[in-house]
Amino acid sequence: MLAHKLPTRDAEEMLAAGLARAKAEAKPVFLDIGASWCGPCRRLGRFLDANREELERCYVFVKLDLSRDAHAPAIKERYEAKDAMNGVPWYVILDADVGTLITSNLKEGAAGDSHLTNIGFPSSKIGIDHLMEMLKQTAPGMPDETLAGLRRQLEKAP
C-alpha cells in the first residue's frame, strides 16, 4: 500500500512560491484547499482545470491537499474564519502584500438556515453568486463574457 502513496509535499513552500510568483506577476493567489478523497474537491478541480487558461490570466493557483501536504491544515486554519463551518473544498484569494481578499465563506446570514458558510463546489444559486462575486472583486480585468460563461458552466453542472 505504501508503494502507491504519493510523496508528501510541503504546503508552506508551495504557498510561499505561489505568493512570490503572484507578487512578481502582480496577480492575486487563488489558494484551493481540498483533499484527494473529496468528491466536491475533485469537481472544483475539474472546473478550474477546464478554465485554467482564462483564469491564469488573473490568478496564480496554489492547490493544497489536506491529506497529502505537510502543513496544509495549519494554512487552512490560518486563513479561514474561526467561527465558520468550512469543510472542503475551501478556497481563499490572497494578495501577496495585503493577505486575505475574500474566501469561499458566505457573509454572515447569507447561508439562511444552514450552519455551513463555505460554498465548497458552488452548485446552488447562492454559491455560484458568491464565486462570481469573488472573481469580480479580485479580477477586475476579467471580461463580463468570461464571467457569464463560467456561471453557465456551473449552472449546468450535474
Side-chain angles (χ1 to χ4, degrees), residues 49-60:
D49 286 345
N51 296 286
R52 181 79 51 191
E53 185 177 328
E54 190 66 43
L55 292 170
E56 282 187 337
R57 292 181 186 150
C58 301
Y59 300 100
V60 170

Side-chain angles (χ1 to χ4, degrees), residues 13-138:
E13 289 178 7
M14 294 166 64
L15 178 57
L19 287 168
R21 182 174 154 217
K23 188 168 184 145
E25 296 178 17
K27 296 178 184 177
V29 169
F30 192 112
L31 175 60
D32 173 12
I33 301 175
S36 57
W37 45 262
C38 168
C41 299
R42 291 192 300 272
R43 286 184 71 198
L44 179 66
R46 285 191 298 271
F47 170 75
L48 294 174
D49 286 345
N51 296 286
R52 181 79 51 191
E53 185 177 328
E54 190 66 43
L55 292 170
E56 282 187 337
R57 292 181 186 150
C58 301
Y59 300 100
V60 170
F61 283 86
V62 176
K63 181 171 179 58
L64 303 179
D65 186 326
L66 289 170
S67 57
R68 174 183 180 194
D69 301 331
H71 313 294
I75 290 172
K76 183 175 187 277
E77 187 174 309
R78 182 183 317 155
Y79 291 110
E80 70 184 352
K82 299 300 176 210
D83 60 344
M85 299 293 291
N86 293 314
V88 289
W90 183 82
Y91 35 103
V92 57
I93 299 176
L94 303 168
D95 178 273
D97 294 319
V98 177
T100 300
L101 297 174
I102 191 167
T103 75
S104 59
N105 294 339
L106 295 168
K107 292 184 171 105
E108 188 175 328
D113 293 336
S114 174
H115 67 285
L116 295 177
T117 57
N118 175 28
I119 63 170
F121 176 80
S123 56
S124 67
K125 181 180 180 338
I126 195 167
I128 293 168
D129 288 348
H130 184 69
L131 177 58
M132 293 301 107
E133 187 59 31
M134 290 177 73
L135 299 177
K136 283 180 194 175
Q137 283 185 25
T138 60

